[in-house]
Amino acid sequence: MTTLEAILSRRTLKVLVDPDNPWPPEDIPDEYLKEFLLAAEMAPFHYPCHRSHREGSVMNSIVPWRFYGMNSSSCRSLLSWIRKQGIDSGKIAGMLAAAGNMQLVTWLPGPPATGGSDRLFEPSLENMEHIAATSAAIQNLLIAATARDIPSYWSSGGILREDPVRQLIGIPSQEILLGAIFLFPAKDRFPGRPMETIDGKLRSQKGPQSGWSRGLELDSTIMDAG
């Protein structure tokens, strides 16, 4: 599959399984995950993350994102823990019951410009660049997964954004979750398994490219006058 074919083939797909009857653990192959994370690593970024995210941490790269991966057994364990807590997890529970892997992806905001800010993050150009870079890393991973025929879903996280889950997993409080990326067993593993699948809602509503893209031409006489 070429890069363009993978991009055009990528689809949002929720695979939902009854949380009371989760699928047996079935991991995404390690060699695939290495490919997916390598693809994510190659995303462009403009600024290094703030040193506060690197000092005293084993995850000390300058990239403005962090990936926390959970295999299928860990996804089922997390599902069990959430249900024992009596937490309403919505469709997250159904996806944890099916996932072959989940990547919790955070971005690393710079510290507030002034002390005592109650904002989640400062609306700075640097932070905007960090969000864009992390989004690019996620998209690279999704395209790489598509090239391997691995269905995927980019969730905003739901209950996974909340402190109890973050503390259980060990995600630092100063990091902001941008996506919970669910990777499901290859499509040929689905037949005969009880499940529900939901496609993305907005793909068919985008309209033609003319609705969001246009070419620009500057008159040479205007340029000369400037």
Side-chain angles (χ1 to χ4, degrees), residues 166-178:
R166 292 170 61 99
Q167 292 170 8
L168 176 72
I169 296 172
I171 297 178
S173 60
Q174 66 268 29
E175 299 181 15
I176 300 178
L177 187 69
L178 189 60

Side-chain angles (χ1 to χ4, degrees), residues 159-203:
I159 189 61
L160 303 175
R161 307 181 71 88
E162 302 299 324
D163 285 342
V165 177
R166 292 170 61 99
Q167 292 170 8
L168 176 72
I169 296 172
I171 297 178
S173 60
Q174 66 268 29
E175 299 181 15
I176 300 178
L177 187 69
L178 189 60
I181 312 304
F182 289 90
L183 302 172
F184 302 104
K187 293 175 184 175
D188 61 5
R189 305 292 290 170
F190 290 170
R193 290 187 169 187
M195 65 176 180
E196 176 187 4
T197 59
I198 302 176
D199 293 320
K201 299 177 182 178
L202 301 179
R203 177 181 291 271

Side-chain angles (χ1 to χ4, degrees), residues 69-104:
M70 301 180 67
N71 64 16
S72 58
S73 294
S74 294
C75 287
R76 306 300 184 273
S77 295
L78 178 58
L79 168 64
S80 177
W81 182 87
I82 289 174
R83 288 167 65 77
K84 286 179 181 177
Q85 306 306 307
I87 300 173
D88 181 9
S89 53
K91 289 184 171 60
I92 294 294
M95 289 189 284
L96 286 172
N101 190 273
M102 177 177 66
Q103 296 288 325
L104 297 173

Side-chain angles (χ1 to χ4, degrees), residues 123-134:
S124 65
L125 176 61
E126 186 168 312
N127 278 337
M128 182 178 72
E129 295 268 8
H130 288 343
I131 295 170
T134 307

Side-chain angles (χ1 to χ4, degrees), residues 135-161:
S135 298
I138 291 174
Q139 176 72 345
N140 279 6
L141 184 145
L142 295 175
I143 293 170
T146 299
R148 286 293 191 178
D149 203 29
I150 299 296
S152 62
Y153 180 70
W154 179 349
S155 167
S156 59
I159 189 61
L160 303 175
R161 307 181 71 88

Side-chain angles (χ1 to χ4, degrees), residues 106-119:
T106 64
W107 71 277
L108 313 181
T114 57
S117 173
D118 59 357
R119 292 171 170 166

